[in-house]
Amino acid sequence: MKDLENELRKALERREPPAGFAERVLAQLEPAPTPRPGWREALISLVPMPRLRWAAAGVVACLLLTLGALHYRRVAQERAVGEAAKAQVMQALRIASSKLNVTMKKVQETDRRLPPA
Amino acid sequence: MKIPARVVRLIATLLLACCASIPAFGQNPKLQIKNLDKLSSKAAEVVDVTLDESMLKLASKFMAADKDEDDAEARELIKELKGVYVKSFEFDKEGEYSQEDVSAIRSQLAAPGWTKVVGVQSKHDGDIAEVYLMTDSTTRNVSGLAIIAADSESLTVVNIVGPVDLDKLSSLEGKMGIPRLGMEKEKGKASQKPAASHGEKK
């Protein structure tokens, strides 16, 4: 009888839980807050199928390339028109200045030929 | 019913103001030089420059981008211009253009506002060189320039719309590929304000 009592007492005696036991239990009860998905994850979540993802990425890349090319073409065209306008201005000023000076020179020559008053 | 004297004076002032502004409306420094286009087919060399205000602004933008000295001068010259129009024809032989072609331009320059500042006409070979200025009737500032230069084998008409500085235009000599003529710079000639007309004949 005494042995049985001893065994029972030993089995039922109070024991301290191992360190961190309470935290581990609490951690399992409350799941950790999930981090907010980044832009990449959000983008990926828009197209769930991996194959479709590649296709969408391709379409976006093509679109960006087209827009870039169109912008480059527009800038190049504007530059060409501007350069042509500049060349025309220079040519017009060359002619105007040259004709003006020729006229003034003719007047000077005429003045020189006239007898002094 | 008697109209008060104050109202009569006001109406008279308004009428006078309206009458005074009529010549200003009639002044147009832009010449119609399209009639010369028909000479293009006969000419050996044609220069046709048509630059309105928007094109001048665009050209000015590209001149601003360059650090060239000639560009800077040209940019300064065209800064406030509203248009630059040039038609220049070089012919292989004489008599390809008629006096009517020149008269069509001259008749427009007889309109109010235009003043012939220089005119040289050679009796021997028929060379013409004429410079006209349009001045604003109210501000007396130059608002347009026209040059007619013609000899037996060439005809050039230049029309600049806007406040053109003749001194600056003339001083481009020796720059931008313009040949230096060794012209004597005299005070009073090629000035902003139109001087008395020269109707010199050789």
Side-chain angles (χ1 to χ4, degrees):
Chain A
M1 268 308 277
K2 208 160 188 181
D3 287 343
L4 182 68
E5 269 177 40
N6 283 337
E7 271 179 41
L8 271 171
R9 196 171 289 133
K10 202 176 176 182
L12 295 171
E13 78 180 345
R14 185 181 171 83
R15 276 185 205 159
E16 285 301 316
F21 176 76
E23 285 81 8
R24 281 203 297 277
V25 172
L26 283 170
Q28 281 187 1
L29 286 173
E30 294 169 20
T34 48
R36 288 181 65 185
W39 65 269
R40 201 165 159 264
E41 285 77 20
L43 205 67
I44 288 169
S45 70
L46 285 174
V47 190
M49 287 169 72
R51 275 187 187 174
L52 267 178
R53 262 178 226 157
W54 283 110
V59 168
V60 169
C62 281
L63 203 70
L64 285 174
L65 272 173
T66 311
L67 285 175
L70 282 173
H71 177 72
Y72 178 79
R73 207 177 130 195
R74 198 175 60 83
V75 169
Q77 272 176 347
E78 194 178 296
R79 182 160 189 88
V81 172
E83 290 291 350
K86 183 185 148 183
Q88 279 204 319
V89 166
M90 294 309 232
Q91 192 175 29
L93 291 181
R94 259 196 296 271
I95 292 171
S97 177
S98 156
K99 294 295 174 193
L100 182 67
N101 287 333
V102 165
T103 309
M104 302 308 274
K105 197 171 167 60
K106 277 181 180 170
V107 171
Q108 282 180 357
E109 281 170 1
T110 312
D111 285 350
R112 222 173 280 143
R113 266 201 295 269
L114 286 171
Chain B
M1 196 182 110
K2 197 180 171 189
I3 303 166
R6 214 170 55 183
V7 176
V8 173
R9 269 203 302 273
L10 183 70
I11 292 169
T13 313
L14 283 172
L15 275 172
L16 269 172
C18 286
C19 291
S21 64
I22 286 169
F25 280 115
Q27 289 183 356
N28 184 8
K30 189 178 180 305
L31 299 175
Q32 294 304 318
I33 52 176
K34 279 206 176 290
N35 68 307
L36 300 176
D37 286 349
K38 61 176 184 268
L39 300 175
S40 299
S41 55
K42 299 178 195 171
E45 202 178 308
V46 181
V47 176
D48 189 349
V49 176
T50 303
L51 293 160
D52 58 12
E53 198 174 2
S54 62
M55 287 298 275
L56 286 173
K57 281 207 163 57
L58 184 67
S60 178
K61 209 170 89 180
F62 281 88
M63 283 168 180
D66 295 331
K67 299 277 180 255
D68 194 63
E69 198 183 316
D70 289 350
D71 281 8
E73 278 186 53
R75 190 172 174 254
E76 185 64 27
L77 244 167
I78 64 162
K79 202 167 65 179
E80 288 175 53
L81 297 185
K82 308 266 180 255
V84 176
Y85 308 92
V86 175
K87 284 205 192 286
S88 184
F89 305 93
E90 298 275 342
F91 304 102
D92 282 332
K93 53 181 194 262
E94 292 181 15
E96 291 288 356
Y97 72 92
S98 65
Q99 279 308 307
E100 285 74 45
D101 297 323
V102 181
S103 301
I105 308 297
R106 269 212 200 100
S107 63
Q108 295 177 61
L109 296 164
W114 284 109
T115 313
K116 190 195 224 175
V117 284
V118 179
V120 184
Q121 191 163 5
S122 166
K123 271 185 179 173
H124 306 292
D125 43 27
D127 289 7
I128 305 164
E130 291 169 2
V131 179
Y132 296 81
L133 282 179
M134 175 171 267
T135 44
D136 192 289
S137 57
T138 46
T139 59
R140 306 300 302 158
N141 288 330
V142 173
S143 58
L145 164 79
I147 302 172
I148 302 175
D151 58 39
S152 55
E153 289 177 10
S154 75
L155 171 66
T156 301
V157 177
V158 177
N159 179 210
I160 296 178
V161 182
V164 60
D165 188 329
L166 280 192
D167 284 333
K168 279 184 187 166
L169 186 62
S170 173
S171 69
L172 292 178
E173 185 187 28
K175 297 167 193 168
M176 302 196 309
I178 301 164
R180 192 172 284 283
L181 297 168
M183 209 176 67
E184 292 167 27
K185 296 281 171 198
E186 288 178 39
K187 279 181 184 173
K189 282 185 181 170
S191 63
Q192 273 288 85
K193 301 276 178 192
S197 280
H198 286 68
E200 307 287 353
K201 288 195 177 204
K202 277 188 196 174

